[in-house]
Amino acid sequence: MSESRINFLKDELNKYAYNYYVLDNPLVSDFEYDKLFSELKELEDKYPELITADSPTQRVGGLSSSFDEVKHKYRLYSLDNTYNYDELRKWYERVTKECGDNVELVCELKIDGLAIALRYENGIFVHGATRGDGISGEEITQNLKTIKAIPLKLFEKADIEVRGEIYMPVSSFEKLNKESEKPFANPRNAAAGSLRQLDSSVTAKRDLSMFTYTAIVEKAETMPKTHWDSLQYLKKIGFKTNPNIRLVKDIEGAVDFCKEWETKRFDLDYATDGVVIKVNSFAFQRELGFTSRAPKWATAFKFPPEEISTKLLNIEIGVGKTGAVTPVAILEPVLLAGSTVSRASLHNFDEIKRLDVRIGDRVLIKKAAEIIPKVIKVVDAPEHETLPVYKVPENCPECSSPLEEREGEVNLYCSNPKCPAVIRAKLEYWVSKEAMDIDFIGPSVISQLYSLGLVKSPVDFYKLKVEDFLKLDLVKEKSASNMYNSIQESRKRPLSRFITALSIRHVGKETADLITSEFTNLDELMNASSESLSNIEGIGEKIALSVYEFFHNSENIKLIEEFKTLGFAFENTVQYRTDELSGKTFVLTGTLQSMTRDEAGDKIKARGGKTSSSVSKKTSYVVAGDNPGSKLDKAQNLGVIILNEDEFLKLIGEADEKKY
Ligand SMILES: [Zn+2]
């Protein structure tokens, strides 16, 4: 009676644990589980001879004095790895040379945790060990038993050895670090530290889990013939496997998988540092064999590192065109995700205070896709305490005026509306690609023109003569006339570019497009009431008020008058406003030959279409020029229509104009 009850309880509890920890699908409440667990514990205390290795009561930890070293029955090989797609292709070439064309591959996320080997006999977990050097490792069976995603008893009486990766979910890692006095550097270290505890009751308290990814099957009801089948088999007999796996026809399929996860990985609750690619067929695997250290039938693609530490040399203060004063981290140059980084964002002074960043600290910087690097934390080091706490400046670094706070904003602002740094920043914006797009005039030219008193306001650019540029350092005839011509050329920009260039608060390029499209000339826009502006689709009250106030400020009115005296007509000349592309969204990538991407965007908008900076299922077309970026890959993955430049020109009806 007791024995059958014990067996029943063991099976029930194991089933509940499996559903909870492996399938993420709890069947009973914690209370019900605990009740059955106590009943089992009581019975086992009464009849200790009935305690078996697969009993859930054996998951509770105990003390050991050291870990025994054990020799692995099957060696755990390392994997060759690369950061480079071409090397992946070369690896595949070697594979196909040996096995013929079209060798199927399995792609799996490489979990950044701790590799372990587990042994099951007759379906019962008998022992487990760390990877060690691959030939022998440390026996940590007791600790592994506390991890509930590791089955103590399989659904089949198989003899099998499996490999898996122990990991700590990122959310649990963050929680643990908040509670502990000595925080771990990353989830991997936290998992390792938790697993190698001599007191396994500590391990039991940590939220560890395991993904199983390799099976060496000695005895089973049906022997899997491919790696893909073996993953399905592992799942079937009770192991937790990673759901993000894919069977692909060839290496290009694997490359797609890698590219996809390079950015998607940040959404996962566990760390992954790459993709493992394996030849699917076991027969081919045997044919390919091993080198002295790694299998020839598998390789790993490593994601570029997105975080790295470096020394903070200084904190520079920048003054923007709005007068906002922002701190910039000046770093000892370091290679991050394929590019050298020497500056990073510190956001604002609150952030410096929050992170307690001090000049001289080692800081961790991070780069996510297409975002400028930012400082995310100070690396724990004894020097930190000896460095002076960073003091938020009280005065503008340029004009020494006091800095002021603005309601509802974290930034500090220079209180001087005539601050030279603000004026220069506005002039720099005036010439930028997004605004009037004036070539040959950069920050250093502007700085000189300003200090010589030649340009104090954007209108002054258009009063310059060729000889004025010759007064600048190192400027000769040729570049002087380039600068002059480039400025004159910018007179032809559409009205919306001019509105953008004015640096009206809350009005960027997109907003300027929206506003301008409603008026035939600048006078109409200047006379528009704040209400009529806010009636424009996409324009809120805040923007409307800002535009209204800008054009009712006497200095700005004077500025516009000056432009008119210089011959600016300010008619909205964007012609052929049609709706032939209405409802279509375009994404532009790479370099176009006949126009810039901004110009292409203007042409799309002039025909009622929209542009977006990222590819999604809703994208109608991706226009790809030379050296397109990852957007092209994404478009291919999503099956979005891809146009080359000629096809794009044909679509917008400009193909013929470009013929000689
Ligand atoms: Zn200032």
Side-chain angles (χ1 to χ4, degrees), residues 334-378:
V334 67
L335 199 67
L336 173 69
S339 55
T340 304
V341 171
S342 57
R343 299 164 76 86
S345 168
L346 275 165
H347 296 292
N348 53 54
F349 296 109
D350 280 0
E351 180 79 351
I352 295 183
K353 197 170 163 193
R354 190 180 71 81
L355 299 174
D356 189 15
V357 176
R358 305 177 188 186
I359 294 167
D361 269 333
R362 266 200 99 68
V363 292
L364 198 65
I365 56 169
K366 181 180 182 127
K367 185 147 93 179
E370 290 176 57
I371 298 170
I372 54 162
K374 57 183 182 180
V375 173
I376 51 169
K377 65 177 264 196
V378 172

Side-chain angles (χ1 to χ4, degrees), residues 319 325 396-401 403 414-416 418-422:
V319 184
V325 172
C396 172
E398 176 82 24
C399 69
S400 305
S401 307
L403 299 180
C414 173
S415 56
N416 173 10
K418 298 235 162 15
C419 174
V422 176

Side-chain angles (χ1 to χ4, degrees), residues 211-341:
F211 285 122
T212 313
Y213 52 77
T214 295
I216 302 167
V217 187
E218 293 171 357
K219 186 190 89 186
E221 283 165 18
T222 42
M223 299 288 281
K225 290 198 171 53
T226 65
H227 179 57
W228 182 262
D229 284 349
S230 74
L231 290 173
Q232 309 307 319
Y233 174 69
L234 282 171
K235 202 168 146 186
K236 198 185 91 185
I237 61 176
F239 288 101
K240 180 171 169 177
T241 54
N242 191 284
N244 302 307
I245 54 173
R246 190 180 294 163
L247 181 64
V248 297
K249 279 204 213 57
D250 55 26
I251 196 67
E252 292 313 314
V255 167
D256 287 347
F257 185 85
C258 295
K259 286 183 176 170
E260 207 177 302
W261 281 99
E262 240 181 82
T263 47
K264 255 166 64 177
R265 65 184 153 137
F266 298 110
D267 301 333
L268 297 170
D269 194 27
Y270 46 86
T272 158
D273 56 352
V275 171
V276 174
I277 302 161
K278 289 179 181 166
V279 167
N280 189 32
S281 150
F282 284 157
F284 284 161
Q285 287 190 6
R286 280 191 293 273
E287 212 170 298
L288 289 156
F290 295 80
T291 65
S292 61
R293 54 178 293 276
K296 291 184 190 170
W297 43 264
T299 191
F301 173 76
K302 295 265 261 179
F303 295 131
E306 77 280 10
E307 275 180 24
I308 201 157
S309 77
T310 185
K311 194 174 171 185
L312 176 67
L313 302 175
N314 196 11
I315 295 178
E316 269 184 17
I317 311 294
V319 184
K321 64 187 170 77
T322 60
V325 172
T326 45
V328 179
I330 306 300
L331 308 163
E332 209 161 74
V334 67
L335 199 67
L336 173 69
S339 55
T340 304
V341 171

Side-chain angles (χ1 to χ4, degrees), residues 132-152:
D133 61 3
I135 294 163
S136 50
E138 286 174 326
E139 209 248 48
I140 50 164
T141 313
Q142 207 48 49
N143 296 30
L144 289 169
K145 277 187 173 176
T146 68
I147 299 170
K148 309 227 177 42
I150 296 179
L152 298 180

Side-chain angles (χ1 to χ4, degrees), residues 529-531 533-534 539-549:
S529 67
S530 161
E531 289 79 41
L533 286 165
S534 67
I539 306 296
E541 272 173 39
K542 196 167 77 173
I543 299 172
L545 192 64
S546 171
V547 173
Y548 178 84
E549 281 176 352

Side-chain angles (χ1 to χ4, degrees), residues 168-178 187 207 268-270:
M168 185 180 282
V170 176
S171 51
S172 308
F173 159 74
E174 283 168 354
K175 203 166 145 241
L176 175 68
N177 259 3
K178 247 179 230 162
D207 183 23
L268 297 170
D269 194 27
Y270 46 86

